[in-house]
Amino acid sequence: MKTRHAVLLPLALASAPLGGQEPAPSPPAEPASVLDYGEDRWHRMTVPVSIDGRGPYNFIVDTGAERTVISQELARSLDLGPGNKVRLHSMSEVSRIDTVKIAALEVGGKEVREIHAPALQRVHIGAEGILGVDSLKSRRVSFDFARQQMTVTSSRKTEERWRGEAIVVVGRSRFGQLVLVDAAVDGQKVWVILDTGAQTTVGNSALRRKLEQKNRLRATWPVEMMSVTGGRVKADQTVVKDIRLGDVDIRDMPIAFADVHPFRKLDLMDRPALLLGMDALRLFERVSVDFANRKVRLLPAGRSERGGTRFASLGD
């Protein structure tokens, strides 16, 4: 008998370069580096990052961001030179953004060279920068919420053994982004993008229509979300009964419905899709994202830090 786990409970960024060189390949396999992470005011994870040997500076870890981003204020203080123009797909819009050249970015003993990083206002980012997939590819990133640590290691290194029953969900690569397809919302199959840079879980209109057609959409109420570029997105929020990721279930989860630009960037406007934000991921004790092997591990916690939240096991 297979065991299912359930959770009961009471801003993403992607960019496509207009031109210029791609980031340099990741270095060979190295020992794991464990970092203590902080949190910004939206409860997203930040880690210390060094740039060209200076720092450290607090960057948000964003598994939904294709590119690493730096604040305009930090770029000026470091006197970074101009880079290529890029087309930036934020939650609210698509913009042409100036980049700056980062010769070497180091996080947890790992160095990534020659990054063309979009420069955005610090007030909208919420930190000195955003650590995107271009700095994490060929890496396995493990978030330990109980210990407040992030482990960065090569995807070729043997996975750390976890105490307890971990759920493994295999995904696929879509335009360079890791997407989970073994997932459903209230019984409706859905494609899921894990987005540690988003405070809120967001579904697209295709998912909303499917739930409406099956009479599974609960009452909604209007909300507003802000993107890293400062743009605002109006959305309708509701609470869904169940989000299934492989063999784990998240129960009574709030999600906001809006056709934000990451769905368009990933060509998911007509397919039910979900950006799974920090409000959902923080319910687990551990979350591991292996970009090279397209695999996610989830370790349910005995209980959540949130009041009224607990895990339960359901037999199939």
Side-chain angles (χ1 to χ4, degrees):
M1 178 180 293
K2 186 183 291 184
T3 301
R4 291 273 291 277
H5 297 267
V7 188
L8 310 176
L9 11 161
L11 292 160
L13 172 72
S15 63
L18 294 179
Q21 60 191 25
E22 293 295 318
S26 300
E30 300 162 338
S33 297
V34 178
L35 306 170
D36 291 332
Y37 64 74
E39 291 184 352
D40 73 346
R41 64 181 184 272
W42 294 298
H43 303 293
R44 296 172 299 179
M45 290 169 290
T46 62
V47 293
V49 169
S50 296
I51 295 177
D52 298 342
R54 290 174 284 183
Y57 309 102
N58 289 329
F59 274 46
I60 294 165
V61 179
D62 190 347
T63 57
E66 185 180 3
R67 298 176 69 92
T68 292
V69 169
I70 190 171
S71 71
Q72 295 174 353
E73 295 84 352
L74 179 58
R76 283 196 295 268
S77 69
L78 296 176
D79 196 26
L80 300 180
N84 301 321
K85 284 272 191 180
V86 296
R87 183 178 294 112
L88 191 69
H89 294 250
S90 70
M91 279 286 193
S92 60
E93 60 196 346
V94 180
S95 310
R96 285 177 61 96
I97 299 291
D98 291 322
T99 69
V100 294
K101 292 180 181 179
I102 299 177
L105 181 148
E106 185 269 329
V107 55
K110 310 297 191 298
E111 186 176 83
V112 182
R113 303 190 63 82
E114 298 300 326
I115 296 174
H116 288 243
L120 304 176
Q121 294 182 44
R122 183 189 293 131
V123 66
H124 299 317
I125 297 175
E128 293 292 359
I130 295 173
L131 199 63
V133 175
D134 60 343
S135 297
L136 298 173
K137 64 183 181 178
S138 299
R139 296 282 188 263
R140 182 186 304 120
V141 185
S142 180
F143 307 107
D144 188 329
F145 293 101
R147 296 179 178 83
Q148 293 196 330
Q149 291 180 334
M150 183 182 79
T151 302
V152 182
T153 186
S154 169
S155 291
R156 289 175 286 183
K157 185 178 177 65
T158 302
E159 288 185 312
E160 176 189 2
R161 292 178 65 99
W162 289 353
R163 291 183 180 179
E165 185 178 356
I167 307 300
V168 178
V169 186
V170 177
R172 65 177 65 174
S173 179
R174 188 173 180 86
F175 300 107
Q177 188 62 263
L178 179 62
V179 179
L180 307 182
V181 295
D182 184 11
V185 174
D186 286 346
Q188 170 60 50
K189 289 186 177 181
V190 66
W191 287 34
V192 173
I193 304 99
L194 267 62
D195 193 347
T196 61
Q199 176 193 11
T200 304
T201 295
V202 182
N204 63 2
S205 291
L207 174 59
R208 177 174 183 164
R209 288 192 298 271
K210 288 291 186 180
L211 295 179
E212 286 176 332
Q213 291 168 6
K214 297 177 181 179
N215 294 319
R216 296 175 184 172
L217 182 67
R218 293 176 173 180
T220 64
W221 60 92
V223 295
E224 189 175 66
M225 301 180 294
M226 187 176 72
S227 76
V228 293
T229 57
R232 295 182 180 273
V233 177
K234 294 187 182 299
D236 289 326
Q237 194 167 44
T238 189
V239 176
V240 298
K241 292 181 180 180
D242 177 78
I243 298 177
R244 179 183 63 79
L245 304 171
D247 291 328
V248 66
D249 292 89
I250 304 174
R251 295 289 177 82
D252 296 326
M253 183 72 209
I255 70 171
F257 288 110
D259 284 330
V260 292
H261 280 281
F263 292 130
R264 192 179 304 277
K265 169 68 172 59
L266 295 173
D267 194 22
L268 292 175
M269 294 294 287
D270 298 324
R271 190 190 305 261
L274 193 71
L275 293 170
L276 197 71
M278 283 298 297
D279 54 351
L281 295 175
R282 284 178 56 83
L283 299 172
F284 298 93
E285 181 176 323
R286 287 188 173 188
V287 175
S288 173
V289 184
D290 190 329
F291 294 96
N293 295 312
R294 301 187 296 276
K295 183 169 63 176
V296 173
R297 283 198 299 165
L298 304 165
L299 182 63
R303 59 183 178 85
S304 170
E305 296 176 358
R306 295 188 184 184
T309 305
R310 64 184 178 86
F311 283 81
S313 293
L314 301 175
D316 283 353

